[in-house]
């Protein structure tokens, strides 16, 4: 989370070591044209620079392997 929300640190390069090779990101309505987690990180940086005073109320994370999904709600 710190990498994703710290200006100057967030980028696809900063998270590449956390991503599996040939990973896939699916978010066609929120991030069209984004197909990997690294691309998502780069798109997220652009979005966050426009919303720098956005307060977080909650967030969730989902992990998937093959057809199994684990959702974590905070």
């Amino acid at each position: 989370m710190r990498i994703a929300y710290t200006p100057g640190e967030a980028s696809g390069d900063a998270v590449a070591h956390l991503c599996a090779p040939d990973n896939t990101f699916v978010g066609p309505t929120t991030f069209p044209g984004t197909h990997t987690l690294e691309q998502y990180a780069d798109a997220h940086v652009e979005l966050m620079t426009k919303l720098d005073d956005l307060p977080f109320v909650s967030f969730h994370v989902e992990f998937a392997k093959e057809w199994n999904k684990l959702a974590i709600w905070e």
Side-chain angles (χ1 to χ4, degrees), residues 7-68:
E9 287 190 38
S11 71
D13 291 337
V15 299
H17 69 285
L18 302 171
C19 302
D22 302 318
N23 67 73
T24 301
F25 175 84
V26 180
T29 57
T30 310
F31 295 96
T34 301
H35 303 291
T36 68
L37 293 171
E38 294 89 345
Q39 290 174 338
Y40 164 74
D42 287 332
H44 188 263
V45 169
E46 184 177 335
L47 176 65
M48 292 311 294
T49 59
K50 296 173 182 163
L51 302 170
D52 62 351
D53 63 346
L54 180 67
F56 290 97
V57 176
S58 67
F59 68 92
H60 71 274
V61 178
E62 295 181 356
F63 297 95
K65 182 177 180 181
E66 296 173 4
W67 292 102
N68 301 311

